[in-house]
Amino acid sequence: MKNISLSNLLAGLLALAFSLPLVAQQADLQYFRPWNKKGINVFEPSKTAEQPEFKGMSVRIGGSFTQDYQNLTHSNKAVYAPSSATNKLNKNYLYGYIKAEDTTSARLAGFNLAMANLNLDFQVDDGIRVCLENYMSARHHNEFWVKGGYIQIDKLPMFGNPQWFTDLVRVKIGHFQPNFGDQQFRRSDGGNALFNPFAENFIIDAFTTEIGGEVYLFPAKNIMLMGGMSSGFINGNIIKPADAINSNGVVPTKRTPSIFAKVAYDNNVNEDLRVRVSASVYHNSNSQRNTLFAGDRTGSHYFGIMEPATIGGLPISIGTSPSNPATQAGPNFTSGRFDPGVANRVTAIVINPFIKYKGAEVFGSLDFIKGSVYADVSDGEWMKRSWTQVAVEGLYRFLPNEQAYIGARYNTVTGEARGLGDVTIERSAVSAGWFPTQNLLLKLEYVNQNYKNFPTTDYRYGGNFKGMMVEAVIGL
């Protein structure tokens, strides 16, 4: 969504400030996932849990803040390749290289840009809640930026609160993140990094916001069904694309809606054991620009890692778009991640098991992705490329109220990268965290990531990065 001018932001903050005496204490909202430690391992808000009584419209003002320190080293084994016929600079140098000392590796250490989110939640009526999420500072957009907003309806007070709707149905409408997979409930989102036990998200990071709606059914105890439809775009678009075949010669450019669905089984078997498994599917047959795997407006928490030093001979930006594209390339803000390149057609399926026994928990993700860009044409046919992602996390939470944890993650992706052939990326990470309070988290992580089967002329050939991350998080 669009960024907001400073004057509008200040006016809004002043209005909120004058309203603070009315909401001196944070309001208890219905069918709501808390932004602090209480929200960990909360997926879709419960439909059966006891809800606070509605006592009139209330406003909750919250925020999330994250500060990282990194000490990471990246390297590659790519052969020399000139930037262009007229520019002999090696395009396979990595970001931060010092040519006179070492052309194959660089150490990137220091404090990263602090990220901050502003979350506004409104209980507008009994069982009706509105959420407005904002990015105040992020690597990709360090100006104020509206992530999205939505209305969630769990009751129908205007029709006398029919019990069948209260018990069985939920409707969500707006510009929001589609409910695809369970990793979205654990990933870092700018300053909101308290739910993630590690410093970063998966290598293939499923995240976007789209305009649409979702309908939830809770037909039996522990069962949830969801179906949704969205515009298939990260923002609004009213211009009709041409009906003619596009320049790649096979199909026209279209704006087809995305269709997605999810089923989940979530059971607290007893006071010690919880079992959950979900399966999600997302499909778009022809989109001018779908961003299911390229929609993050905040950026990776690994700054500059495995990024080329230059693109087209120009030094890169590792954050926002360059102020002068003639002197700088980028932005390169997804360091350590990989975009499967399925922006014009995509079908994705993800299965997520989750088991928690006392303080021990295991979370997994198995992703199957097929899709294309318009240029994936061979012998007059629009071809599909495939990707598979596997991730497993194991954690043990201990101390009273699970105040601390230790954990390990393994994440691997394999697939056909356009123009590069079949490649593999593997990441291992171990972490530890401590919650001094419900709103504060301190993390320590060691990460090691390897790039395999990339061409010798690609900057990721023989690529590796490893090192330490320290992250401090506030969730209000």
Side-chain angles (χ1 to χ4, degrees):
M1 296 181 73
K2 193 174 181 181
N3 57 314
I4 296 179
S5 68
L6 180 60
S7 59
N8 288 339
L9 172 59
L10 291 176
L13 291 177
L14 285 173
L16 290 174
F18 284 115
S19 71
L20 283 177
L22 303 178
V23 287
Q25 295 182 346
Q26 292 284 34
D28 290 328
L29 304 181
Q30 298 175 332
Y31 307 100
F32 169 74
R33 183 195 190 196
W35 296 103
N36 60 15
K37 182 175 178 288
K38 295 178 181 179
I40 291 177
N41 293 333
V42 175
F43 299 90
E44 297 83 10
S46 173
K47 194 70 170 165
T48 59
E50 184 177 353
Q51 302 298 322
E53 180 184 357
F54 176 71
K55 298 181 179 179
M57 180 176 173
S58 57
V59 180
R60 187 186 190 282
I61 304 173
S64 304
F65 310 90
T66 298
Q67 176 67 70
D68 291 286
Y69 175 86
Q70 72 176 43
N71 188 349
L72 302 174
T73 300
H74 58 177
S75 62
N76 66 16
K77 298 179 181 178
V79 300
Y80 167 80
S83 296
S84 67
T86 57
N87 186 342
K88 302 305 180 183
L89 179 68
N90 187 354
K91 70 176 185 179
N92 289 327
Y93 284 149
L94 295 176
Y95 184 79
Y97 83 104
I98 301 175
K99 185 176 180 180
E101 296 180 6
D102 187 357
T103 61
T104 62
S105 68
R107 177 172 170 264
L108 303 178
F111 287 99
N112 298 335
L113 174 72
M115 301 194 198
N117 297 14
L118 175 65
N119 307 313
L120 306 177
D121 294 283
F122 309 86
Q123 191 75 50
V124 298
D125 210 326
D126 189 19
I128 301 177
R129 181 171 63 84
V130 172
C131 177
L132 177 62
E133 299 176 82
N134 309 273
Y135 299 125
M136 293 194 293
S137 173
R139 175 179 172 183
H140 188 199
H141 290 290
N142 52 25
E143 73 276 30
F144 192 96
W145 196 271
V146 177
K147 172 186 174 180
Y150 61 86
I151 183 169
Q152 179 179 299
I153 303 171
D154 285 276
K155 293 184 179 181
L156 297 176
M158 68 289 289
F159 299 117
N161 280 336
Q163 197 64 41
W164 64 269
F165 191 96
T166 300
D167 293 341
L168 302 176
V169 182
R170 168 178 295 154
V171 176
K172 187 175 178 180
I173 303 170
H175 190 162
F176 57 89
Q177 181 179 355
N179 188 359
F180 175 72
D182 284 349
Q183 172 59 12
Q184 60 168 311
F185 299 109
R186 299 170 70 92
R187 70 184 294 278
S188 297
D189 184 25
N192 181 18
L194 192 139
F195 305 136
N196 189 346
F198 299 86
E200 236 300 277
N201 302 328
F202 288 168
I203 297 170
I204 293 182
D205 183 36
F207 173 88
T208 189
T209 56
E210 297 174 351
I211 301 170
E214 297 173 344
V215 177
Y216 293 77
L217 298 177
F218 301 83
K221 184 179 180 181
N222 307 321
I223 300 292
M224 184 212 73
L225 307 175
M226 184 278 296
M229 178 180 290
S230 69
S231 64
F233 279 91
I234 200 168
N235 49 23
N237 193 321
I238 60 173
I239 300 174
K240 183 181 183 299
D243 293 327
I245 300 298
N246 62 36
S247 59
N248 293 285
V250 177
V251 295
T253 299
K254 293 185 178 181
R255 294 206 313 268
T256 305
S258 294
I259 299 172
F260 47 96
K262 185 175 187 178
V263 57
Y265 169 82
D266 195 336
N267 185 12
N268 288 299
V269 179
N270 53 50
E271 64 179 13
D272 293 328
L273 177 63
R274 179 183 177 188
V275 177
R276 175 184 169 96
V277 62
S278 73
S280 305
V281 60
Y282 178 103
H283 175 74
N284 192 297
S285 60
N286 188 327
S287 173
Q288 188 175 7
R289 181 176 177 263
N290 183 272
T291 58
L292 178 61
F293 299 107
D296 187 7
R297 266 117 53 222
T298 64
S300 167
H301 287 247
Y302 300 145
F303 274 55
I305 284 299
M306 288 311 298
E307 301 285 6
T310 60
I311 297 177
L314 298 177
I316 69 162
S317 163
I318 62 167
T320 58
S321 298
S323 57
N324 185 355
T327 60
Q328 195 174 35
N332 288 43
F333 59 91
T334 59
S335 311
R337 303 178 189 170
F338 196 89
D339 181 353
V342 291
N344 302 130
R345 173 172 60 168
V346 59
T347 299
I349 298 172
V350 59
I351 300 170
N352 296 118
F354 172 75
I355 300 175
K356 181 173 174 61
Y357 179 72
K358 294 186 177 180
E361 66 184 54
V362 176
F363 176 81
S365 186
L366 179 60
D367 303 58
F368 303 99
I369 304 163
K370 283 191 175 182
S372 320
V373 295
Y374 288 130
D376 284 320
V377 174
S378 178
D379 297 327
E381 294 187 18
W382 196 17
M383 308 299 291
K384 290 184 179 180
R385 291 174 289 104
S386 299
W387 287 85
T388 301
Q389 174 168 244
V390 178
V392 180
E393 297 177 353
L395 279 83
Y396 184 72
R397 302 182 186 272
F398 56 98
L399 297 184
N401 301 314
E402 298 187 343
Q403 191 176 6
Y405 67 84
I406 55 174
R409 171 195 281 174
Y410 176 75
N411 184 193
T412 180
V413 301
T414 300
E416 183 183 354
R418 186 170 182 274
L420 301 176
D422 292 334
V423 300
T424 297
I425 305 173
E426 294 180 346
R427 178 190 299 167
S428 300
V430 293
S431 70
W434 174 50
F435 290 90
T437 74
Q438 295 278 358
N439 304 101
L440 304 177
L441 170 61
L442 180 65
K443 306 179 198 175
L444 177 66
E445 177 191 271
Y446 178 83
V447 62
N448 185 13
Q449 183 160 311
N450 292 296
Y451 295 73
K452 300 180 178 181
N453 304 324
F454 284 81
T456 59
T457 54
D458 186 272
Y459 69 92
R460 288 158 292 200
Y461 175 74
N464 168 270
F465 74 82
K466 56 189 174 184
M468 301 294 296
M469 295 287 298
V470 181
E471 187 173 89
V473 187
I474 301 175
L476 304 174

Short mmCIF file of all heavy atoms in Angstrom, two decimals, residues 168-190:
data_model
loop_
_atom_site.label_atom_id
_atom_site.label_comp_id
_atom_site.label_asym_id
_atom_site.label_seq_id
_atom_site.Cartn_x
_atom_site.Cartn_y
_atom_site.Cartn_z
N LEU A 168 -19.96 -21.04 14.17
CA LEU A 168 -19.46 -21.78 13.01
C LEU A 168 -18.76 -20.95 11.95
O LEU A 168 -18.05 -21.51 11.11
CB LEU A 168 -20.63 -22.53 12.35
CG LEU A 168 -21.40 -23.52 13.22
CD1 LEU A 168 -22.56 -24.10 12.43
CD2 LEU A 168 -20.48 -24.62 13.72
N VAL A 169 -18.92 -19.64 11.94
CA VAL A 169 -18.50 -18.86 10.77
C VAL A 169 -17.63 -17.67 11.18
O VAL A 169 -17.84 -17.07 12.24
CB VAL A 169 -19.73 -18.35 9.97
CG1 VAL A 169 -19.28 -17.58 8.71
CG2 VAL A 169 -20.64 -19.51 9.58
N ARG A 170 -16.68 -17.36 10.33
CA ARG A 170 -15.89 -16.12 10.44
C ARG A 170 -15.70 -15.57 9.03
O ARG A 170 -15.46 -16.33 8.08
CB ARG A 170 -14.53 -16.38 11.09
CG ARG A 170 -13.54 -15.21 10.98
CD ARG A 170 -12.24 -15.53 11.69
NE ARG A 170 -12.44 -15.69 13.12
CZ ARG A 170 -11.67 -16.42 13.91
NH1 ARG A 170 -10.64 -17.08 13.39
NH2 ARG A 170 -11.92 -16.51 15.19
N VAL A 171 -15.76 -14.25 8.88
CA VAL A 171 -15.54 -13.59 7.59
C VAL A 171 -14.48 -12.52 7.79
O VAL A 171 -14.52 -11.75 8.76
CB VAL A 171 -16.84 -12.97 7.05
CG1 VAL A 171 -16.56 -12.21 5.75
CG2 VAL A 171 -17.89 -14.04 6.80
N LYS A 172 -13.55 -12.47 6.86
CA LYS A 172 -12.46 -11.49 6.91
C LYS A 172 -12.38 -10.81 5.54
O LYS A 172 -12.29 -11.49 4.51
CB LYS A 172 -11.14 -12.21 7.24
CG LYS A 172 -9.95 -11.30 7.48
CD LYS A 172 -8.76 -12.15 7.92
CE LYS A 172 -7.51 -11.32 8.15
NZ LYS A 172 -6.36 -12.16 8.57
N ILE A 173 -12.39 -9.49 5.53
CA ILE A 173 -12.41 -8.72 4.28
C ILE A 173 -11.44 -7.55 4.41
O ILE A 173 -11.39 -6.88 5.45
CB ILE A 173 -13.82 -8.19 3.97
CG1 ILE A 173 -14.84 -9.33 3.91
CG2 ILE A 173 -13.84 -7.43 2.65
CD1 ILE A 173 -16.28 -8.85 3.84
N GLY A 174 -10.67 -7.30 3.35
CA GLY A 174 -9.79 -6.13 3.37
C GLY A 174 -8.57 -6.32 2.49
O GLY A 174 -8.59 -7.07 1.50
N HIS A 175 -7.51 -5.62 2.85
CA HIS A 175 -6.22 -5.72 2.17
C HIS A 175 -5.25 -6.31 3.20
O HIS A 175 -4.77 -5.61 4.08
CB HIS A 175 -5.75 -4.34 1.71
CG HIS A 175 -4.56 -4.38 0.80
ND1 HIS A 175 -4.21 -3.31 0.01
CD2 HIS A 175 -3.65 -5.35 0.54
CE1 HIS A 175 -3.12 -3.62 -0.69
NE2 HIS A 175 -2.77 -4.85 -0.37
N PHE A 176 -5.00 -7.62 3.08
CA PHE A 176 -4.32 -8.31 4.15
C PHE A 176 -3.51 -9.48 3.60
O PHE A 176 -3.55 -9.79 2.40
CB PHE A 176 -5.34 -8.82 5.19
CG PHE A 176 -6.40 -9.72 4.62
CD1 PHE A 176 -6.22 -11.09 4.53
CD2 PHE A 176 -7.59 -9.18 4.16
CE1 PHE A 176 -7.19 -11.92 4.01
CE2 PHE A 176 -8.58 -10.01 3.63
CZ PHE A 176 -8.38 -11.38 3.54
N GLN A 177 -2.81 -10.14 4.50
CA GLN A 177 -2.00 -11.31 4.14
C GLN A 177 -2.90 -12.54 4.03
O GLN A 177 -3.55 -12.92 5.00
CB GLN A 177 -0.93 -11.53 5.20
CG GLN A 177 0.00 -12.70 4.93
CD GLN A 177 1.05 -12.85 6.01
OE1 GLN A 177 1.15 -12.02 6.90
NE2 GLN A 177 1.83 -13.90 5.93
N PRO A 178 -2.97 -13.18 2.85
CA PRO A 178 -3.79 -14.38 2.75
C PRO A 178 -3.34 -15.46 3.74
O PRO A 178 -2.15 -15.59 4.04
CB PRO A 178 -3.56 -14.84 1.30
CG PRO A 178 -3.13 -13.61 0.57
CD PRO A 178 -2.35 -12.82 1.57
N ASN A 179 -4.30 -16.22 4.23
CA ASN A 179 -3.99 -17.27 5.21
C ASN A 179 -3.46 -18.49 4.47
O ASN A 179 -4.15 -19.50 4.31
CB ASN A 179 -5.24 -17.61 6.02
CG ASN A 179 -4.94 -18.55 7.17
OD1 ASN A 179 -3.80 -18.98 7.36
ND2 ASN A 179 -5.95 -18.90 7.93
N PHE A 180 -2.21 -18.39 4.04
CA PHE A 180 -1.54 -19.47 3.32
C PHE A 180 -0.43 -20.03 4.20
O PHE A 180 0.58 -19.36 4.45
CB PHE A 180 -0.96 -18.95 2.00
CG PHE A 180 -0.15 -19.98 1.24
CD1 PHE A 180 -0.76 -21.03 0.60
CD2 PHE A 180 1.23 -19.88 1.19
CE1 PHE A 180 -0.01 -21.99 -0.09
CE2 PHE A 180 1.99 -20.82 0.51
CZ PHE A 180 1.37 -21.88 -0.12
N GLY A 181 -0.62 -21.26 4.67
CA GLY A 181 0.39 -21.90 5.49
C GLY A 181 0.41 -21.38 6.92
O GLY A 181 -0.19 -20.35 7.25
N ASP A 182 1.15 -22.09 7.78
CA ASP A 182 1.27 -21.71 9.18
C ASP A 182 2.57 -20.97 9.50
O ASP A 182 2.70 -20.40 10.59
CB ASP A 182 1.19 -22.96 10.07
CG ASP A 182 -0.24 -23.48 10.22
OD1 ASP A 182 -1.18 -22.76 9.81
OD2 ASP A 182 -0.42 -24.60 10.73
N GLN A 183 3.53 -20.98 8.58
CA GLN A 183 4.77 -20.26 8.83
C GLN A 183 4.53 -18.77 8.98
O GLN A 183 5.28 -18.06 9.66
CB GLN A 183 5.79 -20.54 7.72
CG GLN A 183 7.06 -19.71 7.75
CD GLN A 183 7.86 -19.85 9.04
OE1 GLN A 183 7.60 -20.74 9.84
NE2 GLN A 183 8.84 -18.97 9.23
N GLN A 184 3.47 -18.25 8.36
CA GLN A 184 3.16 -16.82 8.47
C GLN A 184 2.94 -16.41 9.92
O GLN A 184 3.15 -15.24 10.27
CB GLN A 184 1.92 -16.50 7.65
CG GLN A 184 0.69 -17.27 8.11
CD GLN A 184 -0.60 -16.76 7.51
OE1 GLN A 184 -0.85 -15.56 7.54
NE2 GLN A 184 -1.40 -17.65 6.97
N PHE A 185 2.53 -17.36 10.77
CA PHE A 185 2.29 -17.05 12.18
C PHE A 185 3.58 -17.12 13.01
O PHE A 185 3.55 -16.82 14.21
CB PHE A 185 1.26 -18.02 12.76
CG PHE A 185 -0.07 -17.96 12.08
CD1 PHE A 185 -0.50 -19.01 11.28
CD2 PHE A 185 -0.90 -16.87 12.23
CE1 PHE A 185 -1.73 -18.96 10.64
CE2 PHE A 185 -2.14 -16.81 11.60
CZ PHE A 185 -2.54 -17.86 10.80
N ARG A 186 4.70 -17.50 12.38
CA ARG A 186 5.97 -17.60 13.08
C ARG A 186 7.05 -16.71 12.45
O ARG A 186 8.12 -16.53 13.04
CB ARG A 186 6.46 -19.05 13.07
CG ARG A 186 5.54 -20.04 13.76
CD ARG A 186 5.94 -21.48 13.51
NE ARG A 186 7.17 -21.87 14.18
CZ ARG A 186 7.22 -22.41 15.39
NH1 ARG A 186 6.11 -22.61 16.07
NH2 ARG A 186 8.38 -22.77 15.93
N ARG A 187 6.81 -16.18 11.27
CA ARG A 187 7.84 -15.42 10.55
C ARG A 187 8.01 -14.02 11.14
O ARG A 187 7.10 -13.47 11.78
CB ARG A 187 7.51 -15.33 9.06
CG ARG A 187 6.32 -14.44 8.74
CD ARG A 187 5.97 -14.45 7.26
NE ARG A 187 7.01 -13.87 6.44
CZ ARG A 187 7.17 -12.56 6.24
NH1 ARG A 187 6.37 -11.70 6.85
NH2 ARG A 187 8.12 -12.12 5.46
N SER A 188 9.17 -13.45 10.88
CA SER A 188 9.43 -12.06 11.24
C SER A 188 8.83 -11.16 10.16
O SER A 188 8.91 -11.45 8.97
CB SER A 188 10.93 -11.79 11.35
OG SER A 188 11.50 -12.55 12.39
N ASP A 189 8.24 -10.05 10.60
CA ASP A 189 7.62 -9.09 9.69
C ASP A 189 8.05 -7.70 10.10
O ASP A 189 7.36 -7.01 10.85
CB ASP A 189 6.10 -9.26 9.75
CG ASP A 189 5.37 -8.35 8.75
OD1 ASP A 189 5.99 -7.97 7.74
OD2 ASP A 189 4.19 -8.03 9.00
N GLY A 190 9.22 -7.29 9.64
CA GLY A 190 9.76 -6.00 10.06
C GLY A 190 10.09 -6.01 11.53
O GLY A 190 10.82 -6.86 12.05
#
